[in-house]
Amino acid sequence: MTVAIAPLTAEHIPMAAQRYDRWFARARRPPSQRSWLADGPVRGEELLGKLQNAPGLEACRALDADGAIIGHLAAVPLDLAPDNPAALRSHPHSALVPHGGHALPAGRESEVLRALYARVAERLVAERRLVHYVDVPAGETATAPWSELGFGRELVHGLMAVKARGRQPRGVGGLAIRRAGPGDLPQVGRMAAESSRGQRGPAMFQPQPEAGLAALRLRYTDALADTRCGAWIASRRGEEIGMVLVVPAAPGPVVPESCVELMEAFVDPAARGEGISRVLLATALAWAYDNGHRYMSARWHSASPLAAGHWPATGFRPVAYRLSRTLDGRIGGPPGTY
């Protein structure tokens, strides 16, 4: 069955938002998570309302035989300067389909997505945007249609319920944990940059521009002075060997209210395997609970030899993924000429 494609403009946003909410309710997460995970408060109307004003937006809608909207796709261009810390995780000239940026009809997901993506991707490729990202809720319903287009899982967005203090991790001999403040920016920045620099290695092979790492060293200046944020440094025999930093998380489709985000976590390679990370995380969780937070979120590379196993083992469960597709760099000129 042929899918008709047309531009998605402001007058179509209300109907597209309704379609998104219905799709998201169906695709949002596996049934195993519905017993413990609260819904995020952000819905299609807010997401698409912001999205339609994004500069350079490439958006279209899919229509049924009667001309009614059955799906949409909207991609935002990403242009990141080398000294932007975001360039440490994303290609500097790429495109992202964020939450709210697509919705698909039940039973025709792959067919409709192929038609939508063909139209949007053609424009992106014309701009030499050959790296494409999409944010999707965890679960086969949301990920399978993108997998058929060649997208693969790149980043995992996990969530953990924050509970009253229960069983604490075993202590680590000689380890001291202290709250970090503004004066600890050099130490926190150094460890954040060292953690990020590790993403250059196998199996992530993620470029880490030195300008971005330099900016990352200063990124948490405000957070360390903000009582709504929390940071702790682990030391032993006078040597600072680890840290953790959490900040309030912005509510979203997969992020509930009263949530904090684990922005940074680091343990010196020579001290790994002793349980230091679990002690730091337990400290942050206890603080989060005492300050009224009931969830903690974290993001990690699915290819990371350390993070991909460690964070799920500590209790984080996937609630969303960032999928990516990188097109062959030899592409150039009008379609059909390469």
Side-chain angles (χ1 to χ4, degrees):
M1 183 181 299
T2 302
V3 179
I5 303 298
L8 179 71
T9 54
E11 64 267 28
H12 309 122
I13 295 300
M15 182 57 68
Q18 293 179 27
R19 297 288 312 186
Y20 172 80
D21 287 339
R22 289 198 292 270
W23 171 83
F24 186 80
R26 187 175 75 250
R28 57 184 177 164
R29 59 183 184 268
S32 61
Q33 295 181 359
R34 294 175 186 167
S35 62
W36 68 273
L37 176 60
D39 288 332
V42 179
R43 296 290 179 263
E45 182 179 5
E46 180 178 344
L47 293 169
L48 281 152
K50 294 178 179 178
L51 197 55
Q52 68 175 323
N53 297 318
L57 180 72
E58 296 289 354
C60 58
R61 69 192 197 277
L63 309 174
D64 64 13
D66 297 323
I69 295 178
I70 58 174
H72 71 271
L73 180 64
V76 177
L78 298 181
D79 291 297
L80 306 172
D83 60 353
N84 186 338
L88 299 171
R89 282 197 168 185
S90 300
H91 190 279
H93 188 67
S94 55
L96 167 68
V97 178
H99 288 295
H102 83 290
L104 303 169
R108 299 182 63 190
E109 290 93 343
S110 296
E111 173 196 8
V112 171
L113 180 60
R114 275 194 300 271
L116 288 166
Y117 180 68
R119 178 68 62 85
V120 170
E122 181 178 3
R123 299 169 185 169
L124 298 176
V125 169
E127 298 175 0
R128 297 295 298 168
R129 299 185 189 277
L130 304 184
V131 180
H132 303 161
Y133 303 110
V134 57
D135 289 328
V136 296
E140 188 71 12
T141 299
T143 60
W146 289 99
S147 296
E148 293 182 16
L149 290 177
F151 282 75
R153 186 184 305 173
E154 182 189 56
L155 290 178
V156 182
H157 189 174
L159 207 64
M160 176 195 295
V162 175
K163 302 177 181 179
R165 291 178 180 83
R167 183 178 179 183
Q168 297 296 296
R170 64 179 177 82
V172 177
L175 188 70
I177 305 291
R178 66 175 178 83
R179 182 76 181 265
D184 294 301
L185 179 62
Q187 300 96 305
V188 170
R190 173 185 62 79
M191 287 188 270
E194 190 169 343
S195 175
S196 190
R197 188 178 287 109
Q199 296 174 28
R200 291 172 172 168
M204 292 172 287
F205 304 110
Q206 177 74 33
Q208 300 291 291
E210 287 297 332
L213 293 173
L216 183 61
R217 289 175 175 268
L218 304 175
R219 181 180 184 182
Y220 301 111
T221 301
D222 293 339
L224 290 171
D226 191 336
T227 57
R228 298 172 301 169
C229 305
W232 294 266
I233 291 177
S235 60
R236 184 165 53 192
R237 293 186 290 275
E239 181 182 2
E240 292 160 336
I241 56 175
M243 67 92 178
V244 65
L245 186 147
V246 297
V247 304
V254 297
V255 179
E257 301 278 9
S258 69
C259 181
V260 289
E261 182 168 1
L262 181 65
M263 292 295 292
E264 298 289 345
F266 174 80
V267 174
D268 187 272
R272 290 173 185 167
E274 302 180 40
I276 295 172
S277 177
R278 288 180 179 270
V279 173
L280 283 166
L281 179 60
T283 303
L285 286 168
W287 173 88
Y289 185 86
D290 290 345
N291 283 271
H293 300 291
R294 294 299 175 261
Y295 294 94
M296 181 178 290
S297 70
R299 302 169 197 263
W300 62 88
H301 279 273
S302 60
S304 170
L306 297 174
H310 177 68
W311 294 122
T314 62
F316 286 98
R317 304 185 192 183
V319 292
Y321 303 119
R322 186 175 81 171
L323 312 180
S324 70
R325 182 187 185 199
T326 301
L327 303 182
D328 194 317
R330 294 172 294 178
I331 291 175
T337 63
Y338 41 79

